[in-house]
Amino acid sequence: MNFGAVDWVLTVAYLVASVALGIWAKRYVENLAGYMVAGRRVKVSLGVATFVATELGTVTYVYYGELGYLAGFSGFIIGILAMIAYTLVGRTGFVIEGLRRFRVMTIPEFYELRYSRNVRLLGGIILFLGGVLNMGIFLKFDGIFLSEVMGFGPGAIAIIMTVMILIVVSYTILGGMFSIVITDFMQFVVLSFGMLVATIAVLVRVDLASMSAVVATTLGQTGVDPLANPRFGWTFVLWIFVASAAAAALWQPGTSKALASESPEVAKKVFFWTGLTFAGRAMIPMFWGVAALAFFGPGLSSAAAMPRLLGAVVPTGFLGLLVAGMLAASMSTYSAYLLAWSSVLARDVIACSRPKDFQESTTVAVTRVVAGVIGAFLLIFGLWYQIPDTAFQYLYLTGAMYTSGALGVVAAGMYWRKANIVGAYSSLVMGAIAPAGFLILEKSRDALPAWLTFVTDVNIAGILSFILAGLGMIVGSLISQRTSPPKPLTLPVQP
Amino acid sequence: MTTGALLWFILFGMAALLFFTIAFVVTIRGAGDLRHLIGSSETQEKDA
């Protein structure tokens, strides 16, 4: 165990600075737009920093590190697919440009503009459920990572989880998006430096030749060819590419960076430059995972191997920087996700269930209460839930519960005049069926009839959700044009 | 070293270089953007 007194000082100093900065930012929250989208005044570089920080949590390192340990270099394809998907969305402005022009604060708000208030309500419920389930495993993985790196072992996981969620909930509740943007910037700098330190330490202690050799002997061709690897294959490649493009455009925590941007043009640049970092975002932790395979050999717990490697190779002093970097990564992710899901529940579910919207101050108050409740739920869920398959696929599948339907509803609503309410309902419901089916049936795989076992293949369930959602929108809209004529977008477009 | 591994190492090197270069530029320029965000918020606060 290399975690010494200097590392403790660095870690505690970082935590205190984060909380102080987050709470200080509360003074800039002047209204609802200030709380939820930082007054729409975020420029390109700050937008990129906050976007990367949001999309890079400790959970990201753990699930990518796990894939590197289990699948060798084959998983690197995910980084390339994500980079292409995000830069394409940034270059074309697909969906994000339109959402920013309509000045919405949450994605389901667009459903009401284009379809109806009830579509917004259903979309809000699915987005909230998918989002919170998706976030449910973050805390547990962070607890595993930090307890391994710091040398405490599994006994400390629950304590680490509790401390982290308390800190993040406190400043997110108070300062909203302003706190997030300001703390994200500091967290981005710290996490980037932490990643650099870890990568150099791994390269110093584990040579490339031994990594190549262990992948060849342990995994053979499946360790370098993603199409030959049974974990991946063509269905996986196709699903991850479509899911990445959908998540780039429609995953509330990420899309909120476009909604907080100074203009639609700035939003596009933020997505393009952030997209370019996405290959490294995936490949760097996977590289650490492959190094863990070379360092320890196979047979360790796949989630704990990479953190244990970092705990062993990063020297005292730098380990504190690494832990601060990982804490930074997690806190920036939690805060953005907490705000995103609490905003959706407050504005798109609770407020939409009433005949009239809340006043701005009430919306902020309800959002704060909901953020606290989600924090408590995450702690309980993280301690209790056993994650199926690998974490990576769990995250993409719970995300697909919402993004598949949303892709149909928002993209068709923006670019297809015939999209109507029936198509929107069909798309949202059918998009959620396959992922929900997987999550429910996966544990009863052996009891299923043979013809239904395909649902328990995570890659098939993932790609199926997008196909069903697309079909739901097209067929639903076309068969009901007379009974439910499409509603045109009438809100005046503002810069 | 196998050819497949070598190819992935080259791609990894390019991806890591791109990540850390963008991180460096964003760190420098983002500090200016942050000052602008805080400055414009303080101006609005005074106007109000």
Side-chain angles (χ1 to χ4, degrees):
Chain A
M1 175 179 155
N2 293 331
F3 205 82
V6 182
D7 301 306
W8 271 112
V9 171
L10 282 168
T11 305
V12 173
Y14 168 74
L15 287 175
V16 171
S18 271
V19 176
L21 198 59
I23 292 173
W24 171 77
K26 178 183 181 292
R27 59 196 294 198
Y28 296 113
V29 179
E30 70 272 19
N31 55 20
L32 185 64
Y35 187 76
M36 294 204 171
V37 285
R40 299 191 183 91
R41 290 197 292 271
V42 175
K43 287 174 175 282
V44 177
S45 294
L46 188 57
V48 173
T50 183
F51 199 168
V52 174
T54 295
E55 294 300 316
L56 249 178
T58 299
V59 65
T60 322
Y61 300 116
V62 177
Y63 67 67
Y64 280 140
E66 185 182 37
L67 269 186
Y69 185 77
L70 291 171
F73 303 108
S74 291
F76 284 25
I77 189 75
I78 296 164
I80 294 171
L81 293 171
M83 183 178 78
I84 296 170
Y86 275 77
T87 49
L88 269 178
V89 168
R91 181 57 77 189
T92 59
F94 175 67
V95 171
I96 55 162
E97 189 179 11
L99 289 175
R100 175 61 187 83
R101 281 194 196 287
F102 281 102
R103 299 172 73 85
V104 294
M105 292 185 207
T106 61
I107 294 164
E109 277 184 63
F110 178 80
Y111 300 170
E112 185 172 353
L113 294 176
R114 181 64 171 82
Y115 303 102
S116 72
R117 195 169 175 85
N118 284 336
V119 173
R120 178 179 176 184
L121 176 63
L122 177 66
I125 291 169
I126 294 175
L127 171 54
F128 177 77
L129 289 177
V132 172
L133 281 176
N134 178 273
M135 195 185 174
I137 65 167
F138 288 12
L139 260 183
K140 187 163 205 170
F141 273 87
D142 292 1
I144 293 171
F145 184 96
L146 291 168
S147 62
E148 288 292 340
V149 169
M150 297 166 90
F152 294 141
I157 291 175
I159 297 167
I160 292 173
M161 287 168 65
T162 309
V163 171
M164 286 181 72
I165 201 71
L166 281 177
I167 290 172
V168 177
V169 165
S170 66
Y171 74 74
T172 306
I173 285 177
L174 290 172
M177 186 61 96
F178 258 107
S179 289
I180 290 171
V181 168
I182 293 171
T183 52
D184 271 5
F185 181 71
M186 181 183 76
Q187 288 157 354
F188 171 79
V189 175
V190 177
L191 79 87
S192 301
F193 192 66
M195 284 175 77
L196 187 61
V197 166
T199 306
I200 292 169
V202 168
L203 283 168
V204 167
R205 292 288 297 275
V206 187
D207 65 281
L208 300 183
S210 62
M211 289 169 69
S212 170
V214 78
V215 168
T217 52
T218 313
L219 299 162
Q221 187 63 15
T222 64
V224 289
D225 182 355
L227 299 180
N229 191 311
R231 186 181 294 274
F232 305 128
W234 277 112
T235 49
F236 176 85
V237 169
L238 188 62
W239 168 40
I240 295 304
F241 181 72
V242 176
S244 297
L250 289 162
W251 191 235
Q252 180 70 31
T255 310
S256 65
K257 311 306 176 195
L259 307 178
S261 295
E262 209 174 43
S263 67
E265 289 67 36
V266 167
K268 287 169 67 177
K269 287 180 186 168
V270 167
F271 272 65
F272 178 77
W273 287 105
T274 302
L276 288 179
T277 67
F278 269 54
R281 166 185 176 265
M283 285 187 189
I284 292 169
M286 280 190 212
F287 179 82
W288 302 341
V290 179
L293 183 63
F295 195 80
F296 297 115
L300 283 187
S301 151
S302 57
M306 183 274 282
R308 197 168 295 175
L309 170 79
L310 297 185
V313 302
V314 178
T316 302
F318 286 104
L319 206 51
L321 279 175
L322 176 69
V323 169
M326 297 302 140
L327 283 170
S330 288
M331 289 163 67
S332 53
T333 305
Y334 291 157
S335 55
Y337 274 59
L338 268 178
L339 182 67
W341 307 139
S342 53
S343 308
V344 167
L345 190 66
R347 283 176 64 78
D348 303 318
V349 179
I350 298 174
C352 268
S353 323
R354 295 159 42 89
K356 278 180 70 180
D357 279 342
F358 289 127
Q359 289 186 328
E360 286 200 356
S361 57
T362 313
T363 304
V364 172
V366 172
T367 306
R368 284 175 165 153
V369 171
V370 170
V373 173
I374 295 174
F377 168 78
L378 291 176
L379 190 59
I380 297 163
F381 185 87
L383 288 168
W384 163 78
Y385 191 68
Q386 294 297 317
I387 302 147
D389 218 68
T390 66
F392 175 79
Q393 273 124 324
Y394 171 87
L395 288 170
Y396 265 75
L397 201 69
T398 46
M401 270 178 74
Y402 154 76
T403 49
S404 53
L407 185 66
V409 175
V410 179
M414 227 169 249
Y415 306 115
W416 190 41
R417 279 185 303 167
K418 290 188 175 179
N420 68 4
I421 291 178
V422 178
Y425 280 129
S426 310
S427 184
L428 286 171
V429 172
M430 289 176 72
I433 284 175
F438 173 85
L439 292 173
I440 295 164
L441 298 176
E442 198 267 342
K443 292 188 192 309
S444 320
R445 192 189 303 246
D446 297 336
L448 290 176
W451 63 270
L452 199 59
T453 50
F454 72 94
V455 178
T456 60
D457 180 325
V458 67
N459 297 335
I460 300 273
I463 195 69
L464 202 58
S465 66
F466 286 94
I467 294 170
L468 290 175
L471 280 175
M473 170 51 79
I474 294 167
V475 176
S477 296
L478 289 178
I479 62 169
S480 59
Q481 288 290 297
R482 284 189 185 170
T483 51
S484 301
K487 176 184 170 188
L489 280 167
T490 50
L491 192 78
V493 176
Q494 298 176 50
Chain B
M1 186 177 295
T2 65
T3 311
L6 181 64
L7 179 72
W8 284 119
F9 281 137
I10 292 168
L11 287 172
F12 163 75
M14 291 164 65
L17 188 65
L18 194 58
F19 182 93
F20 290 119
T21 305
I22 292 174
F24 179 74
V25 173
V26 162
T27 299
I28 305 296
R29 294 175 60 116
D33 288 357
L34 195 56
R35 275 195 295 274
H36 166 267
L37 177 71
I38 291 170
S40 64
S41 303
E42 278 171 348
T43 310
Q44 286 209 350
E45 210 172 22
K46 279 176 192 163
D47 290 348

